[in-house]
Amino acid sequence: MNARICGTGSILPKKTVTNFDLAERMETSDEWISSRTGIRERHIATTETTAEMAVSAARKALEEAKMQPEELEMILVATVTADHIAPSAACEVQAALGAVNAVAIELNAACSGFVFALNTAQAYVRAGIYKKLLVVGVETLSKVVDWTDRSTCILFGDGAGAAVLEAVEEDGIQDFVQHADGGKGSALLCDARPLKNLFVDNPFGQEFVKMDGQEVFKFAVKRVAESIDTVLDRNHILPSQVSLYILHQANARIIQTVAKHLGEDMDKFPMNIDHCANTSGASVPILLDELNRAGRIKRGDKIVLSGFGGGLTWGSIYMIW
Ligand code: ACO
């Protein structure tokens, strides 16, 4: 059995912040940001919590799937910005939906989170353990970026995306690859819980996102291209047979470089980074939902999803819609 997506949903916070808005508050410009990243605006949470956004996206996905929350057997929520350490965002989603029969687990793989959570769902379906699952990618990165650091704060936005999965005999997720390289973790880090106790003189830690942008850029283009090559090769699929490549929306230039590597037209690499910025683990499901609702994905389409980010982590999925 494979996990097949039968419903998607997404939500962005109400407040839109353009590059021009940021330029009024820091030394930056629309030209600098848009030419290097493709970002023109982002949505920033001012009242919405991480759990609330996850629940809104999940409700929309359940509605499209025509599935009741009680039918769910598993909820996976990928996030690095949950509202609480405990209960997890996944348990909060379970409670708000009334998904009383589902186990609820939070998964932290930074910007690869949604892709890794889908892989986890697929593994449970393959093993015959669960048949109806909900996977959510949600982030409120605005809580953990340093708003005095113009090199990182301009990159991120908030939002949530969700997918409801059902077990099917054919179609659905065909294969995936996923990797981690903890040795390179310092290229993108955020230490939210520094040592703080009676016996520590100098609590240390980096509460905000810090990134070596060029290192991350090099990592992303190499590893994303590799992981797509692997998942396509071992399923005997040519890049030209793939209808859409739905990549984590970190930076338009990363996506363009991967498209060039595969020799495929940019039409197959949809982007929403212009209006969402980088929503980390939420970017792939938000884009997936936008494409699904716009009628850009048809049953039988061959689709590749790729996530990459902090950890460092990366992976790709090959699925038949
Ligand atoms: N506005 C104006 N100038 C800025 C800004 C800003 N917002 N931020 C930095 N600068 C300045 C710097 O101070 C520097 O000035 P200097 O030359 O006088 O010292 C200059 O611009 C160049 O800075 P760099 O950091 O070298 O800029 P770079 O060209 O590398 O672009 C960027 C930065 C866009 C982040 C790039 O490194 C990149 O694309 N990295 C990929 C990583 C990425 O996309 N990460 C997203 C999050 S991680 C993830 O999702 C996986």
Side-chain angles (χ1 to χ4, degrees):
M1 301 289 270
N2 291 329
R4 187 176 77 85
I5 295 178
C6 54
T8 63
S10 65
I11 186 94
L12 297 170
K14 286 183 298 293
K15 186 168 182 61
T16 306
V17 177
T18 66
N19 293 344
F20 295 100
D21 295 330
L22 291 180
E24 283 176 15
R25 291 171 176 257
M26 64 189 78
E27 268 298 290
T28 191
S29 65
D30 176 58
E31 197 282 321
W32 195 97
I33 300 171
S34 59
S35 65
R36 279 171 179 78
T37 68
I39 299 165
R40 296 198 176 275
E41 59 186 39
R42 72 284 292 137
H43 290 255
I44 299 293
T46 49
T47 56
E48 304 88 346
T49 67
T50 298
E52 283 168 4
M53 291 194 291
V55 171
S56 299
R59 285 206 170 106
K60 292 181 184 178
L62 282 165
E63 196 182 325
E64 196 203 349
K66 298 188 173 49
M67 200 183 281
Q68 296 304 313
E70 298 82 4
E71 295 177 62
L72 290 171
E73 297 161 292
M74 175 173 241
I75 296 173
L76 291 161
V77 175
T79 187
V80 293
T81 47
D83 303 306
H84 314 288
I85 294 171
S88 70
C91 286
E92 292 188 282
V93 169
Q94 188 233 19
L97 292 177
V100 289
N101 297 308
V103 67
I105 302 175
E106 192 174 301
L107 189 148
N108 176 339
C111 307
S112 308
F114 179 79
V115 167
F116 282 17
L118 269 191
N119 297 345
T120 306
Q122 163 71 355
Y124 275 99
V125 169
R126 259 294 155 87
I129 298 172
Y130 298 127
K131 290 192 166 60
K132 294 184 177 180
L133 307 89
L134 168 69
V135 178
V136 181
V138 58
E139 297 293 4
T140 317
L141 259 291
S142 61
K143 293 197 282 203
V144 294
V145 299
D146 181 352
W147 287 96
T148 66
D149 175 8
R150 66 178 181 167
S151 69
T152 53
C153 73
I154 50 104
L155 299 172
F156 298 98
D158 301 330
V164 170
L165 306 168
E166 62 182 358
V168 293
E169 294 289 345
E170 294 167 1
D171 298 349
I173 296 178
Q174 304 291 299
D175 196 7
F176 62 78
V177 291
Q178 52 184 4
H179 298 281
D181 182 359
K184 298 212 171 70
S186 60
L188 181 48
L189 54 85
C190 180
D191 180 359
R193 295 168 207 156
L195 274 178
K196 266 191 237 167
N197 62 51
L198 275 180
F199 312 100
V200 177
D201 292 332
N202 297 306
F204 64 90
Q206 172 56 60
E207 285 179 62
F208 300 116
V209 171
K210 279 278 166 208
M211 181 182 65
D212 179 340
Q214 288 171 15
E215 196 56 37
V216 172
F217 191 96
K218 281 186 272 176
F219 145 75
V221 293
K222 179 167 187 287
R223 297 306 198 177
V224 175
E226 252 173 36
S227 71
I228 295 176
D229 286 347
T230 305
V231 84
L232 292 185
D233 281 356
R234 68 187 191 196
N235 289 280
H236 312 292
I237 301 293
L238 296 169
S240 58
Q241 294 175 275
V242 175
S243 307
L244 287 174
Y245 293 86
I246 302 175
L247 271 51
H248 167 48
Q249 304 286 295
N251 184 305
R253 289 185 304 151
I254 293 174
I255 298 170
Q256 285 154 359
T257 311
V258 174
K260 203 166 157 197
H261 165 84
L262 291 166
E264 289 296 295
D265 205 85
M266 276 310 290
D267 287 355
K268 287 191 178 181
F269 290 76
M271 288 195 260
N272 64 7
I273 192 165
D274 58 330
H275 63 275
C276 292
N278 179 348
T279 55
S280 184
S283 86
V284 168
I286 292 171
L287 180 56
L288 192 61
D289 182 51
E290 286 181 3
L291 295 164
N292 183 27
R293 283 173 195 270
R296 292 249 344 245
I297 317 180
K298 305 270 183 307
R299 282 298 295 273
D301 279 357
K302 295 178 172 58
I303 292 178
V304 167
L305 307 184
S306 292
F308 52 95
L312 298 170
T313 53
W314 67 99
S316 290
I317 298 175
Y318 161 52
M319 65 166 71
I320 301 176
W321 191 257

